[in-house]
């Protein structure tokens, strides 16, 4: 759990976890579009993310820069995000991320070890 940074601590009870990974295996972005749809439809809210430092080669998964108010720049690093949503009185966890470039087992373990 050292790699997961929590913004909030929801208390879902044994929710299913749905994952989508951007990258070569996301043909036509089908998985990422589907999970984005679920997040919007179910009003998911981000509650944690995985620190990207150990898992991504930033020459492959480059950060992006956004302008805010036309002036200041904000760097968005590629990272995995956990969201929680409620569907018909049942909680569901959603996870989206680029496919990791390095240390895939530790990345996967960080997802599996998330308290549910």
């Amino acid at each position: 759990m050292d790699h997961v940074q929590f913004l909030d601590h929801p208390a879902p009870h044994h929710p299913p976890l749905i994952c989508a990974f951007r990258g070569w295996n996301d043909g036509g972005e089908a998985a990422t579009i589907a999970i984005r749809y679920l997040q919007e439809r179910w009003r998911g809210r981000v509650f944690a993310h995985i620190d990207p430092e150990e898992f991504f080669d930033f020459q492959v998964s480059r950060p992006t820069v956004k302008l805010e108010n036309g002036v200041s720049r904000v760097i968005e690093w590629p990272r995995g995000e956990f969201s929680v949503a409620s569907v018909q009185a049942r909680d569901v966890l959603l996870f989206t991320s680029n496919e990791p470039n390095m240390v895939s087992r530790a990345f996967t373990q960080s997802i599996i070890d998330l308290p549910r």
Side-chain angles (χ1 to χ4, degrees):
M1 293 307 303
D2 296 340
H3 304 293
V4 177
Q5 298 173 348
F6 288 88
L7 308 171
D8 190 11
H9 290 279
H13 182 69
H14 299 291
L17 172 64
I18 302 170
C19 299
F21 297 93
R22 292 178 290 279
W24 69 268
N25 62 340
D26 190 13
E29 297 182 356
T32 52
I33 289 171
I35 207 160
R36 217 175 7 235
Y37 172 80
L38 294 176
Q39 285 176 321
E40 289 174 15
R41 176 86 175 166
W42 295 341
R43 296 186 182 106
R45 63 181 174 79
V46 175
F47 70 91
H49 63 266
I50 292 183
D51 182 359
E53 193 66 31
E54 290 187 46
F55 304 114
F56 296 102
D57 176 348
F58 297 123
Q59 293 179 14
V60 176
S61 299
R62 295 199 181 271
T64 56
V65 178
K66 289 175 38 173
L67 292 178
E68 282 191 356
N69 302 323
V71 194
S72 59
R73 294 185 290 172
V74 175
I75 298 174
E76 291 186 344
W77 297 92
R79 66 180 185 193
E81 290 189 333
F82 293 95
S83 298
V84 63
S86 187
V87 183
Q88 297 178 357
R90 172 142 186 177
D91 290 327
V92 176
L93 298 182
L94 305 167
F95 178 74
T96 58
S97 178
N98 289 359
E99 184 178 347
N101 305 107
M102 304 172 286
V103 199
S104 294
R105 284 189 214 163
F107 186 84
T108 303
Q109 200 63 50
S110 295
I111 297 167
I112 293 170
D113 288 346
L114 188 77
R116 302 191 284 145

